[in-house]
Amino acid sequence: MSFPLKKVLACTLLAFGASLAAQAQTVIKFSHVVAQDTPKGKAAEFFAKKAGELTKGKVKVEVYANSALYKDKEEMEALQLGSVQMLAPSLAKFGPLGVKDFEVFDLPFIFDNRDDLHKVTNGPVGAKLLKKLESRGITGLAYWDNGFKIFSASKPLKAVADYKGLKYRIQSSKVLEEEIRALGGIPQVIAFGETYQALQTGVVDGTENPPSNFYTQKMHEVQKHASLTNHGYLGYAVIVNKKFWDGLPADVREQLNDAMRQATAYANQIAQDENDQALEAVKKSGKTTIYQPTPEERLALKKALVPVHDKMSGRIGKETIQDVYKATGFDPAKL
């Protein structure tokens, strides 16, 4: 039995059309180093979903969490080489890349609250910083919150003197190195994915993280004490390979920008909730004793750490620091 010629042609055209559609689909590999159930992990999945919807399937975003593709030290080079198209690295990662202005976000106590922070990340200062990445082959799309960091250690942390002599895991950031030294501690740069083992084996005594990272990476299992210092901010910049981004059709770029705007609003909305919930989970676990510093203890810590701003101004840039001061209204002279 033979098929009518029209049906054969119709089936052939349908198959050809499906093949073309498959070839036309753009795949974005979105790699990050934290767990899928963190604010960043959830926001990455949200973006992937919205990108697919808004581009009507023209773009497929594949999210790789928990360093599944690249570790801390590998991912930036992979992006620049085009091996991966999108990342959401912590802002501390741009210092080693040569854009040291971003280390302004690492300065201890430069933001008193989320409102002050968003005056920078959602304003002209934040946009100006993202623009500096273009010479490195990177386009900055957005800032995503994680939260404010707490200190944890193998011993109670109350007075400034309690930090002296402790070995602290930090990200690769000269500012964070100086922060730990200002407290009399010993900074140790260790990849995020290796931090649990470093704490477990005593390679380091403590670390600093927002509660969501602290809990989802199970650091509370190997840290007996944590202090709610909220001394520093941990956030991310969502970035994309510039050559790849510029090569996308203009309408697709705008659709992806729309998806990113929605994902950013979602990320920042859930970040505080996730940290609050994680902190409660740590408390309920009974494995880490949580300490709330008194106003006097926190002020003493602030006075010990704010001099880091001036000490690192030659590295970060006085203009950048002053831009943040003006945006937030922070005045170190009033401490």
Side-chain angles (χ1 to χ4, degrees):
M1 179 178 177
S2 60
F3 289 100
L5 182 59
K6 286 184 178 180
K7 286 189 176 180
V8 172
L9 287 172
C11 290
T12 302
L13 288 170
L14 282 171
F16 181 66
S19 175
L20 282 178
Q23 290 175 15
Q25 187 179 59
T26 298
V27 175
I28 295 177
K29 291 183 180 179
F30 189 162
S31 173
H32 65 81
V33 301
V34 300
Q36 189 173 351
D37 58 349
T38 59
K40 176 164 71 173
K42 290 180 179 181
E45 297 290 345
F46 184 96
F47 170 73
K49 180 174 179 290
K50 286 295 176 184
E53 290 174 359
L54 293 174
T55 64
K56 293 181 169 56
K58 289 180 183 177
V59 175
K60 180 183 179 183
V61 179
E62 298 176 351
V63 180
Y64 297 87
N66 256 333
S67 305
L69 281 186
Y70 300 102
K71 294 184 179 179
D72 271 355
K73 295 179 181 178
E74 304 166 342
E75 62 175 12
M76 200 71 80
E77 183 180 4
L79 181 85
Q80 290 175 299
L81 292 173
S83 301
V84 63
Q85 290 73 45
M86 188 172 286
L87 304 174
S90 59
L91 298 167
K93 298 294 194 311
F94 298 112
L97 189 66
V99 190
K100 298 172 185 176
D101 308 61
F102 275 89
E103 288 187 347
V104 72
F105 289 101
D106 291 336
L107 290 173
F109 291 109
I110 196 167
F111 304 112
D112 265 341
N113 51 57
R114 292 175 74 237
D115 287 342
D116 281 352
L117 165 70
H118 290 160
K119 289 173 185 175
V120 174
T121 56
N122 296 337
V125 178
K128 181 180 177 181
L129 289 171
L130 291 178
K131 194 76 175 172
K132 291 176 181 286
L133 297 174
E134 293 185 358
S135 63
R136 304 304 197 275
I138 295 169
T139 296
L141 300 179
Y143 294 94
W144 285 359
D145 287 351
N146 186 328
F148 287 90
K149 296 181 287 187
I150 62 175
F151 276 122
S152 65
S154 53
K155 58 173 282 188
L157 300 172
K158 297 180 180 180
V160 174
D162 295 334
Y163 294 82
K164 190 173 182 180
L166 296 182
K167 292 176 290 183
Y168 262 84
R169 179 269 170 183
I170 58 165
Q171 299 182 73
S172 181
S173 164
K174 295 298 181 184
V175 175
L176 296 181
E177 286 182 23
E178 193 57 42
E179 171 193 276
I180 300 302
R181 290 195 183 100
L183 295 173
I186 304 161
Q188 302 282 321
V189 176
I190 296 174
F192 183 73
E194 299 168 10
T195 302
Y196 178 93
Q197 186 176 8
L199 292 167
Q200 185 182 43
T201 57
V203 171
V204 290
D205 302 300
T207 186
E208 55 167 14
N209 263 298
S212 63
N213 281 3
F214 186 74
Y215 180 67
T216 56
Q217 292 294 314
K218 302 185 187 300
M219 295 179 196
H220 64 292
E221 295 180 354
V222 288
Q223 291 279 264
K224 292 182 178 179
H225 299 274
S227 184
L228 304 182
T229 50
N230 292 331
H231 61 280
Y233 169 71
L234 179 61
Y236 311 105
V238 186
I239 58 175
V240 66
N241 177 283
K242 186 176 187 301
K243 184 177 180 181
F244 167 80
W245 186 253
D246 291 346
L248 293 173
D251 62 327
V252 172
R253 270 202 312 271
E254 184 48 43
Q255 288 160 352
L256 291 175
N257 273 324
D258 190 7
M260 184 57 64
R261 283 189 287 270
Q262 293 185 47
T264 299
Y266 172 76
N268 293 347
Q269 178 185 342
I270 66 170
Q272 189 62 52
D273 292 340
E274 293 281 322
N275 280 299
D276 290 344
Q277 292 165 15
L279 186 59
E280 285 304 310
V282 171
K283 289 178 180 177
K284 287 180 181 178
S285 76
K287 296 180 179 180
T288 302
T289 300
I290 304 294
Y291 180 70
Q292 177 67 64
T294 66
E296 293 77 18
E297 288 168 340
R298 192 168 185 273
L299 180 60
L301 187 66
K302 196 171 188 177
K303 287 181 176 179
L305 288 175
V306 165
V308 173
H309 296 200
D310 187 55
K311 193 160 187 179
M312 299 306 294
S313 63
R315 175 183 176 84
I316 297 171
K318 289 184 179 180
E319 181 182 346
T320 298
I321 294 174
Q322 288 299 321
D323 283 347
V324 173
Y325 284 175
K326 289 175 185 176
T328 64
F330 179 74
D331 185 356
K334 291 182 179 180
L335 287 179

